[in-house]
Amino acid sequence: MIIQPKTRGFICTTAHPEGCAANVQSQIDYVKSRPPMANPPKKVLVIGASTGYGLASRIVPAFGGGAATIGVFFEKPGTDRKTGSAGWYNSVAFEKAAADAGLYAKSFNGDAFSGEMKATVIEAIKADLGQVDSIVYSLASPRRTDPTDGETYRSVLKPIGQSYSQKNLNTDTGEVDSVTIEPATEEEIAHTVKVMGGEDWELWIKALNEAGVLADGFTTVAYSYIGPDLTYPIYTNGTIGKAKEHLEESTARMNEQFGAGTAYVSVNKALVTQASSAIPVVPLYISLLYKVMKEAGLHEGTIEQIQRLFADHLSSGSAPELDEKGRIRIDDWEMRDDVQSAVAEAWENVTTENLSELSDFSGYKNEFLRLFGFGLEGVDYESDTNPERPLPSE
């Protein structure tokens, strides 16, 4: 079939296999162009490995350090009548590239929250790798079924205590409008923490430890975001923020159990991802941020962010640099005073009429389509392509 993008709100319902492969290859090429890491991990498990930061977290140790990798995700394969998800095609492309480079890569598609998936992955580690020395937790899911009680919890993106009104960007129309979001209930807050907090991360580490597949001196990292004051009500001080607080509490518990320097939270930059596109207010902020950071020569995508995380903090041969709360900060360029001052000024002045002048909304849209394999150089989007692409490791 001939595959074209079909967008609906913050979702693209199609994905292009060759385009996704080109996107993966461009990230691999970037990593291979960087200096070798001082002390890279050799056996890496990435939970949430198919898109965005999770995909980059598989590419960097594999092609920057020769690591064997296992990836866990929940994606949709293509059929003869319908395309698969971008994450599926990304993972197919990654596995093929890894095999061509002589690197071990195995993927598991299913519910990462379940006890069954944890058991399946553990058996693969025992059989193929023995142990893992690095675990990256990068799940972004709107719901989670707790394996202990069977209840399904759903997260919400809401403020706490009072409603929140702010400028917003309709990414379908390019209109700068406004949005008002009502505050979350106590139940919604609790459910969001269950889905997006650190509970499942801890369950993974507990299961891996009990099975004896954690190497001595292993490290684990989970991803978070803080952002500027203007997004605090919907993010840092909202339901997601409560979940991220729990993530940091999980870090402290694991460091107490396994020793300081075992678990980290990395606070990453705001980027166009499938997850960030769903958060009100954030697409407008990202569009303004991209313009400022590109003009300052500071812009990074997911692969540049994760390359810097591993090279400068997790695989540098020395302890990572931490902030006052014990977090790694690779959002440091985003949060520079000059960058935030310029974004705040643009935020005050941006309207539908001057959006293209004050922001990089065109760059936002291009990055969004790239997530699904569209707009990549060298890909013939008018040609017939087969949407059925099996994982090499299946």
Side-chain angles (χ1 to χ4, degrees), residues 46-62:
V46 182
I47 304 157
S50 55
T51 63
Y53 279 121
L55 174 64
S57 300
R58 200 172 185 192
I59 292 171
V60 168

Side-chain angles (χ1 to χ4, degrees), residues 42-45 58-59 61-63 66-71 94-108 120-132 392-393:
K42 292 303 181 184
K43 299 174 182 178
V44 181
L45 168 62
R58 200 172 185 192
I59 292 171
F63 290 93
T69 64
I70 291 178
F94 171 84
E95 280 201 13
K96 183 179 185 305
D100 290 346
L103 299 172
Y104 173 95
K106 183 170 284 189
S107 301
F108 294 93
T120 298
V121 170
I122 285 168
E123 288 309 308
I125 295 170
K126 286 181 176 179
D128 298 347
L129 303 179
Q131 294 181 319
V132 289
S393 65

Side-chain angles (χ1 to χ4, degrees), residues 290-311:
Y290 271 27
K291 182 176 179 64
V292 171
M293 295 194 75
K294 286 178 180 179
E295 289 181 347
L298 296 172
H299 178 67
E300 293 176 307
T302 53
I303 196 65
E304 291 88 357
Q305 278 266 285
I306 299 305
Q307 171 69 25
R308 187 154 67 94
L309 171 65
F310 274 86

Side-chain angles (χ1 to χ4, degrees), residues 342-354:
V343 173
E345 181 179 355
W347 184 273
E348 287 300 314
N349 296 312
V350 69
T351 64
T352 302
E353 290 71 28
N354 63 21

